Amino acid sequence: MDVNTIKTQCCIVGGGPAGMMLGLLLARVGIHITVLEKWPDFFRDFRGDTIHPSTLQILHTLELLEKFLALPHNEMRNISVTICGEQIPVADFSHLNVYCKFIAFLPQWDFLNFLAEEAKKYPTFSVMMGAEAIDLIRDNEKIIGVRAKKGDEPFDITCDLVVGADGRHSVVREKLQLPLKTLGAPMDVLWFRLSRYENEAIHSLGRIDAGKMMVMIERGDYFQCAFVVPKDDFEKIKSEGLDQFRKKIVDIAPMLKDRVHALTSWDQIKLLVVTVDCLKKWYQPGVICIGDAAHAMSPIAGVGINLAVQDAVAAANILIPAFLNYALSIDDLSKIQKRRLLPTYITQRVQLFMQNHLVSPALQGKISVPWPFKLLQKFPFLRRIPGRMIGMGARPELPQHKLRGNVCQ
Ligand SMILES: Cc1cc2nc3c(=O)[nH]c(=O)nc-3n(C[C@H](O)[C@H](O)[C@H](O)COP(=O)(O)OP(=O)(O)OC[C@H]3O[C@@H](n4cnc5c(N)ncnc54)[C@H](O)[C@@H]3O)c2cc1C
């Protein structure tokens, strides 16, 4: 069967934070980019909402910050959690040496739409919505493109580099059969909305009590709630009935008592399966994985989006000179992994520590305030350490290359 073939320099599979940021950065310098996104729009509810100071600093460097902050958002300058009814300040961003000393909360679809609109201003950028990668095209050992489909219509994209930015269930990494190290997660997340009164504020991002754990994010006229449950327990929770589930919500967040009855069906509650893993090798000739496709992140501390964006910036900084000099080699791909492996390792180990010392005991009903939290409560200056880790990550990246592409008028 003859299939339509598109030729480009770089095909990015996945229009999430990693893929859209990389697409924007490469298109800015005139590199021909095609992003494939399998869904017709970015409007899905299972995405995290946190844009950290490190990502805001990248937008500042790209002179996009002012425009971005004009989008409706909330700003969080420090983080507190409530453990066994006690509010504990955990992270303070006020000392960070960056333009925005806060986390911006806004629905991720707004962030992705923003990146897409900015990227579309460059003539070498194209994003194909509703286009799903289904296989890789090989020439002997080298990947030379992607087989995709839009609706029932298959098509090929041939290119110098394929970037797998297609998230935790990456088709690119599956087709490459890259060796994977699974680090494990003791929990899954139940994701639902409950209404919010005008100006109603929550002072703690997370609430943890014996056997219960919930995160609440303010989103305009509703709270996005993430109720944490032991891994694979959703069916058991369903069998206990909605009444019991609503009671658990009120136990951990009594303020929701007057509206929890709005949850009338399990269809309103989505299961998000948590995985934490890391590829041992992120690349092969002609292809590299970044973001969650290279290392699926736990939702703990909400750093996954920002780590994915950092991967994209590091990748762009290494790929741009290689593309512009027509000298892209496997060494460049190896440099990307080398640069991003350590920050990934550190972040995932901190997440595992939190999983083992806070989440697991809490879900088993054996909760007490862990000693690092006691120290944070007692010595305010220590809150700068989580502030730095959460706000900036282990190796913050900034775009190094100036604008070269022509902006479409
Ligand atoms: C329950 C939960 C809550 C979280 N909350 C937060 C949070 O608040 N803050 C935070 O920073 N992180 C959070 N994370 C982590 C965060 O969601 C990820 O780390 C981050 O989204 C990774 O970005 P990415 O671009 O690598 O991948 P993704 O965001 O997964 O994007 C991948 C994209 O690729 C597309 N795609 C997939 N397959 C194909 C295909 N075959 N062809 C074409 N397109 C494809 C997908 O549709 C998607 O748009 C959370 C994770 C979980 C599980």
Side-chain angles (χ1 to χ4, degrees):
M1 182 177 60
D2 278 348
V3 292
N4 195 11
T5 300
I6 299 165
K7 204 170 165 12
T8 185
Q9 282 179 285
C10 178
C11 175
I12 299 172
V13 181
M20 293 312 296
M21 179 57 84
L22 182 62
L24 168 64
L25 293 173
L26 297 185
R28 275 177 92 240
V29 297
I31 294 165
H32 288 263
I33 298 299
T34 302
V35 179
L36 302 178
E37 169 51 51
K38 73 174 173 184
W39 296 102
D41 55 42
F42 297 119
F43 195 77
R44 268 150 297 127
D45 211 7
F46 57 82
R47 299 173 175 277
D49 282 13
T50 55
I51 305 299
H52 291 214
S54 58
T55 301
L56 295 169
Q57 192 68 10
I58 291 166
L59 295 176
H60 176 58
T61 309
L62 297 173
E63 296 178 12
L64 295 175
L65 184 65
E66 208 178 319
K67 205 167 165 190
F68 179 69
L69 291 179
L71 296 172
H73 69 280
N74 294 327
E75 295 176 8
M76 185 177 271
R77 288 166 195 276
N78 40 59
I79 297 180
S80 292
V81 294
T82 301
I83 304 181
C84 305
E86 201 176 341
Q87 190 176 331
I88 301 177
V90 172
D92 172 11
F93 304 117
S94 64
H95 68 289
L96 293 177
N97 186 20
V98 284
Y99 201 78
C100 298
K101 300 175 198 304
F102 56 81
I103 292 181
F105 278 82
L106 79 169
Q108 200 187 119
W109 56 80
D110 282 346
F111 178 56
L112 295 176
N113 273 325
F114 177 82
L115 293 180
E117 288 313 310
E118 288 305 318
K120 281 179 197 163
K121 292 178 181 168
Y122 300 98
T124 56
F125 178 86
S126 130
V127 55
M128 298 177 73
M129 302 302 291
E132 180 178 2
I134 49 177
D135 208 347
L136 297 171
I137 305 171
R138 292 162 201 269
D139 180 10
N140 294 318
E141 295 299 297
K142 190 172 181 225
I143 301 301
I144 55 160
V146 176
R147 166 68 53 99
K149 64 176 174 127
K150 193 163 177 172
D152 292 333
E153 207 58 43
F155 62 95
D156 288 348
I157 300 208
T158 58
C159 54
D160 300 326
L161 179 68
V162 173
V163 178
D166 47 345
R168 296 178 296 152
H169 307 293
S170 168
V171 167
V172 174
R173 84 178 184 188
E174 181 205 315
K175 296 291 172 193
L176 291 170
Q177 297 186 324
L178 291 170
L180 181 71
K181 184 167 183 177
T182 302
L183 300 168
M187 76 282 201
D188 290 325
V189 172
L190 303 182
W191 196 244
F192 55 91
R193 295 175 177 193
L194 285 172
S195 60
R196 170 175 175 249
Y197 301 120
E198 208 178 331
N199 298 327
E200 190 178 22
I202 38 171
H203 303 290
S204 280
L205 191 59
R207 292 150 197 271
I208 304 165
D209 219 327
K212 296 174 210 88
M213 192 166 189
M214 188 160 89
V215 174
M216 285 167 68
I217 299 168
E218 292 172 14
R219 268 193 194 168
D221 61 356
Y222 67 93
F223 288 116
Q224 183 63 58
C225 304
F227 194 91
V228 182
V229 296
K231 188 134 222 64
D232 301 328
D233 256 15
F234 188 37
E235 286 309 316
K236 182 171 158 243
I237 290 167
K238 275 206 239 173
S239 70
E240 290 166 0
L242 256 181
D243 266 348
Q244 192 58 24
F245 183 59
R246 285 190 290 250
K247 184 175 172 311
K248 284 183 182 171
I249 296 170
V250 176
D251 283 350
I252 189 105
M255 63 187 287
L256 298 175
K257 190 173 181 191
D258 60 352
R259 60 203 103 163
V260 75
H261 59 268
L263 292 176
T264 54
S265 151
W266 289 108
D267 292 342
Q268 292 164 270
I269 298 154
K270 283 186 207 132
L271 169 69
L272 301 182
V273 176
V274 178
T275 46
V276 187
D277 60 35
C278 189
L279 288 178
K280 292 183 184 159
K281 194 172 172 201
W282 297 15
Y283 61 91
Q284 275 184 10
V287 60
I288 184 158
C289 292
I290 61 169
D292 267 23
H295 47 73
M297 302 303 291
S298 164
I300 288 180
V303 289
I305 297 167
N306 301 277
L307 204 73
V309 167
Q310 302 285 319
D311 280 6
V313 175
N317 287 341
I318 291 167
L319 292 174
I320 287 171
F323 268 117
L324 295 182
N325 298 321
Y326 300 97
L328 182 67
S329 78
I330 194 147
D331 288 347
D332 298 306
L333 307 184
S334 154
K335 275 186 210 155
I336 296 171
Q337 174 173 352
K338 272 199 193 118
R339 175 132 193 116
R340 296 306 304 160
L341 195 58
L342 183 66
T344 303
Y345 182 89
I346 293 173
T347 312
Q348 288 187 324
R349 288 323 177 273
V350 173
Q351 290 187 323
L352 291 184
F353 179 87
M354 298 289 287
Q355 284 183 180
N356 295 338
H357 291 86
L358 187 62
V359 179
S360 284
L363 293 177
Q364 290 162 17
K366 295 185 250 166
I367 181 73
S368 59
V369 179
W371 62 264
F373 286 78
K374 288 185 181 155
L375 287 177
L376 291 168
Q377 198 172 22
K378 196 157 181 202
F379 303 109
F381 68 92
L382 288 180
R383 295 170 206 158
R384 295 174 173 203
I385 300 169
R388 161 87 206 184
M389 277 303 295
I390 297 170
M392 301 304 292
R395 178 182 270 167
E397 308 279 354
L398 284 179
Q400 286 168 2
H401 297 89
K402 295 245 176 317
L403 193 70
R404 256 180 58 149
N406 295 324
V407 179
C408 296
Q409 296 303 320

